[in-house]
């Protein structure tokens, strides 16, 4: 006989969803639920979903089949679909997946306990209204102990890139008050986290009525200089000089910017409503590299957007070579209902999208390999994250430039800042040996030996 009520939750998609899951868990805890990591112990099964591409949704639909199966042997269990897919698909999901009891969009999580009560009476709970103001400012996310904390600084997006469903699933952009964000940062520092990542769909347009993103970033970095600060995602249109100067001005702000370009062709960028040209983007990259030596850059690329030609694709490959990113997240274009691009022709055949995707991946792999090889012989600061996946004798951790480093264990512990001399590299990982252990972080600079 179970005495407490257990909630099991799975999270799909972006870091914003990871942060939202912590808000959901906080609301559930306050309503008397205990988190379980075992599906077989669950009274309530929640899945926090992603709708950004069709394959993400298909994966979730597949997983829902398992929850249906679970419900057959646990008929009192409640199954809820949360997040972007709930917002996008709405009632339809209840028609095709009739065992789903709850459908709750990203701005409606406060209603979860009441909806669960109603579902227990046999009703279906649907809450998918988007809000212009909800930012869960008063809810302290449920964070388990760890090294890295997600801190959501804003919600929604007003950019309306023509391929993207996010403005429809997460609604209008709204920023949390700087003072509230700072309180949360103080709390994670006090609890011993080593790293905080500020999250928003487009952090560069943060504005709380008094402070912009560079103000916030500087204030966050000044809370505790031993806390490493990351942020994502940056939109190239809103990346100001002030932000670049701010990143350069604080040693605990990581030298890493995720700056999605999506395409290297001006024609496609315009069709995507990205509001910049390849030239504008390249100038921005030049400025960033000049102001922040050693900066690491990553990007998102979509292949096979509507009407993309071989020439457009070639321009993307050229841009990859010109920027020399440290990493890239690459996707085949997936048309999403309601977006502007939905009404454009999805006219690039699947096999062409796939071939272009492999070309992007191949070129980027070579660039990453080359960039990583230049690190050989250098000593880099690393935050120890845990055992290496491949060998129990090794630890792994990340540089402030977000590169994974593997090195033999040598008296160091998870959470230590150490210095590692790089001896070998492949396109994804650096390998080396430890030089010094710091229990306080050194200035996060890479020094030449
Ligand atoms: N198809 C493919 N990729 C997409 N992204 C967003 N929407 C789509 C889509 N419809 C990618 C973009 C974005 C990243 C989070 O997901 O590259 O930056
Ligand atoms: Fe989507 Fe564009 Fe907003 Fe990013 S900036 S969430 S791609 S609409």
């Amino acid at each position: 006989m179970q005495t407490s009520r257990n909630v099991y939750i799975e999270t799909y998609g972006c870091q914003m969803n990871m942060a939202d899951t912590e808000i959901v868990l906080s609301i559930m805890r306050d309503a008397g639920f205990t988190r379980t990591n075992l599906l077989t112990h669950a009274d309530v099964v929640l899945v926090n979903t992603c709708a950004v591409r069709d394959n993400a949704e298909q994966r979730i639909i597949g997983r829902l089949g398992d929850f249906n199966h679970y419900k057959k042997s646990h008929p009192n269990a409640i199954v809820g679909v949360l997040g972007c897919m709930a917002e996008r698909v709405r009632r339809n999901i209840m028609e095709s997946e009739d065992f789903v009891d709850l459908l709750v969009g990203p701005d409606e999580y406060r209603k979860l306990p009441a909806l669960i009560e109603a579902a227990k009476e046999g009703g279906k709970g649907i809450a998918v209204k988007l809000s212009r103001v909800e930012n869960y400012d008063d809810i302290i996310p449920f964070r388990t102990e760890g090294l890295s904390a997600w801190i959501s600084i804003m919600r929604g997006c007003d950019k309306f890139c023509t391929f993207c469903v996010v403005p429809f699933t997460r609604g209008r952009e709204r920023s949390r008050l700087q003072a509230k964000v700072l309180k949360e940062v103080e709390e994670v520092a006090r609890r011993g986290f080593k790293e905080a990542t500020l999250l928003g769909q487009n952090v560069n347009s943060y504005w709380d009525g008094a402070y912009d993103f560079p103000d916030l970033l500087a204030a966050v970095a000044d809370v505790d200089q031993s806390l490493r600060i990351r942020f994502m995602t940056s939109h190239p249109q809103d990346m100001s000089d002030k932000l670049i100067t701010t990143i350069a001005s604080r040693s605990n702000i990581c030298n890493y910017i995720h700056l999605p370009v999506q395409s290297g062709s001006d024609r496609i960028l315009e069709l995507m409503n990205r509001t910049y040209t390849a030239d504008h983007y390249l100038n921005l990259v030049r400025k960033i590299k000049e102001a922040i030596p050693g900066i690491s850059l990553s990007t998102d690329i979509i292949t096979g957007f509507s009407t993309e030609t071989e020439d457009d694709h070639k321009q993307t490959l050229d841009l990859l070579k010109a920027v020399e990113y440290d990493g890239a997240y690459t996707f085949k274009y997936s048309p999403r209902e309601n977006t502007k691009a939905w009404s454009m022709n999805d006219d690039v055949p699947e096999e062409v999208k796939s071939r272009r995707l492999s070309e992007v991946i191949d070129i980027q792999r070579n660039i990453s390999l080359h960039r990583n090889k230049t690190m050989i012989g250098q000593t880099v600061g690393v935050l120890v994250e845990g055992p290496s996946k491949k060998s129990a004798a090794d630890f792994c951790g990340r540089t402030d430039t977000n590169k994974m480093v593997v090195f033999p264990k040598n008296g160091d512990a998870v959470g230590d800042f150490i210095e590692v001399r790089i001896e070998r590299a492949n396109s994804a990982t650096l390998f080396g040996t430890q030089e010094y252990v710091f229990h306080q972080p050194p200035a996060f600079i890479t020094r030449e030996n």
Side-chain angles (χ1 to χ4, degrees):
M1 231 345 235
Q2 282 172 318
T3 46
S4 73
R5 296 186 300 166
N6 291 329
V7 56
Y8 171 88
I9 186 162
E10 279 183 17
T11 310
Y12 292 79
C14 63
Q15 285 83 357
M16 288 293 296
N17 259 14
M18 315 274 178
D20 275 6
T21 286
E22 294 177 345
I23 287 171
V24 167
L25 284 170
S26 174
I27 292 169
M28 295 295 284
R29 180 191 47 201
D30 290 350
F33 284 86
T34 306
R35 180 184 197 172
T36 174
N37 290 324
L38 295 172
L39 176 60
T40 48
H41 288 183
D43 302 298
V44 175
V45 178
L46 300 176
V47 50
N48 193 359
T49 62
C50 171
V52 82
R53 280 170 295 277
D54 187 56
N55 57 7
E57 287 195 358
Q58 292 313 321
R59 227 176 106 214
I60 292 161
I61 299 265
R63 185 63 176 144
L64 283 177
D66 298 334
F67 298 151
N68 186 15
H69 191 71
Y70 177 69
K71 221 177 137 161
K72 285 191 178 129
S73 55
H74 298 75
N76 292 329
I78 304 282
V79 174
V81 175
L82 316 183
C84 288
M85 200 174 152
E87 193 64 51
R88 195 188 81 75
V89 191
R90 302 198 164 187
R91 275 167 207 286
N92 296 348
I93 213 166
M94 297 241 178
E95 280 154 28
S96 55
E97 319 290 325
D98 61 0
F99 58 93
V100 171
D101 304 292
L102 306 173
L103 212 53
V104 187
D107 288 344
E108 298 270 45
Y109 295 145
R110 287 178 200 271
K111 292 188 181 149
L112 261 168
L115 292 170
I116 289 169
E117 288 312 310
K120 279 203 309 210
E121 306 299 317
K124 296 265 179 195
I126 303 183
V128 287
K129 203 162 172 285
L130 288 171
S131 158
R132 285 187 174 266
V133 292
E134 178 63 274
N135 53 25
Y136 300 108
D137 240 349
D138 54 316
I139 294 178
I140 298 171
F142 178 96
R143 292 191 173 93
T144 41
E145 304 306 319
L147 293 182
S148 286
W150 307 116
I151 300 193
S152 158
I153 62 164
M154 58 207 292
R155 300 182 71 82
C157 183
D158 286 349
K159 284 287 171 190
F160 286 94
C161 301
T162 58
F163 52 80
C164 185
V165 80
V166 166
F168 304 95
T169 59
R170 288 188 161 269
R172 297 287 62 74
E173 181 186 294
R174 63 219 101 116
S175 298
R176 297 179 61 199
L177 287 174
Q178 172 167 299
K180 300 271 188 182
V181 174
L182 291 179
K183 248 182 89 183
E184 223 177 294
V185 175
E186 282 159 17
E187 193 224 318
V188 303
R190 201 169 45 238
R191 282 184 55 191
F193 284 86
K194 305 287 179 185
E195 199 172 77
T197 305
L198 308 183
L199 295 175
Q201 240 66 50
N202 172 19
V203 290
N204 302 165
S205 66
Y206 174 90
W207 175 247
D208 80 343
Y211 300 106
D212 62 11
F213 184 60
D215 297 331
L216 176 74
L217 187 60
V220 164
D222 291 343
V223 165
D224 180 344
Q225 280 167 18
S226 70
L227 193 65
R228 197 149 89 155
I229 309 301
R230 300 188 183 280
F231 58 90
M232 67 193 313
T233 292
S234 294
H235 191 293
Q237 182 60 46
D238 301 326
M239 184 98 205
S240 64
D241 291 355
K242 184 176 167 188
L243 178 54
I244 298 170
T245 316
T246 305
I247 298 168
S249 72
R250 308 281 196 290
S251 63
N252 61 329
I253 301 178
C254 287
N255 283 339
Y256 169 62
I257 306 175
H258 181 55
L259 194 65
V261 68
Q262 314 295 358
S263 168
S265 151
D266 288 347
R267 193 181 67 80
I268 295 294
L269 287 171
E270 191 169 351
L271 281 176
M272 288 176 162
N273 188 34
R274 287 293 289 182
T275 67
Y276 53 81
T277 60
D279 253 0
H280 170 101
Y281 186 93
L282 289 168
N283 281 331
L284 177 61
V285 166
R286 212 165 295 131
K287 204 155 61 175
I288 293 171
K289 286 187 176 178
E290 269 168 31
I292 319 170
I295 189 81
S296 153
L297 294 171
S298 64
T299 193
D300 291 343
I301 301 283
I302 296 177
T303 64
F305 186 69
S306 179
T307 77
E308 186 188 70
T309 62
E310 284 308 314
D311 188 51
D312 293 319
H313 168 61
K314 189 174 166 300
Q315 291 177 48
T316 300
L317 301 182
D318 289 345
L319 183 133
L320 288 176
K321 292 179 206 155
V323 175
E324 294 199 302
Y325 292 104
D326 292 86
Y329 300 88
T330 52
F331 313 101
K332 282 188 273 186
Y333 172 54
S334 166
R336 309 311 286 141
E337 218 170 335
N338 286 326
T339 60
K340 200 157 171 212
W342 177 254
S343 57
M344 302 176 193
N345 268 343
D346 179 26
D347 55 358
V348 178
E350 187 58 27
E351 64 274 15
V352 175
K353 284 183 185 170
S354 297
R355 194 251 305 149
R356 289 180 187 165
L357 184 76
S358 325
E359 288 175 10
V360 167
I361 292 170
D362 281 352
I363 286 193
Q364 182 53 47
R365 191 180 295 123
N366 280 330
I367 295 169
S368 299
L369 178 64
H370 171 75
R371 300 259 317 148
N372 286 350
K373 285 215 155 140
T374 63
M375 308 289 293
I376 294 173
Q378 291 186 30
T379 297
V380 295
V382 173
L383 169 60
V384 182
E385 286 180 8
S388 144
K389 276 197 198 109
K390 294 201 177 136
S391 146
D394 293 336
F395 262 145
C396 68
R398 274 174 206 278
T399 62
D400 83 323
T401 56
N402 209 30
K403 288 184 187 287
M404 183 56 84
V405 184
V406 172
F407 48 93
K409 286 181 185 170
N410 185 13
D412 33 28
V414 172
D416 282 343
F417 284 96
I418 65 166
E419 288 203 346
V420 176
R421 189 178 158 84
I422 303 304
E423 289 152 354
R424 183 159 82 72
N426 63 29
S427 61
T429 312
L430 307 173
F431 301 86
T433 39
Q434 176 191 323
E435 291 207 324
Y436 308 106
V437 178
F438 292 82
H439 293 281
Q440 286 296 315
F444 295 102
I445 43 169
T446 299
R447 66 178 163 76
E448 299 266 0
N449 266 22

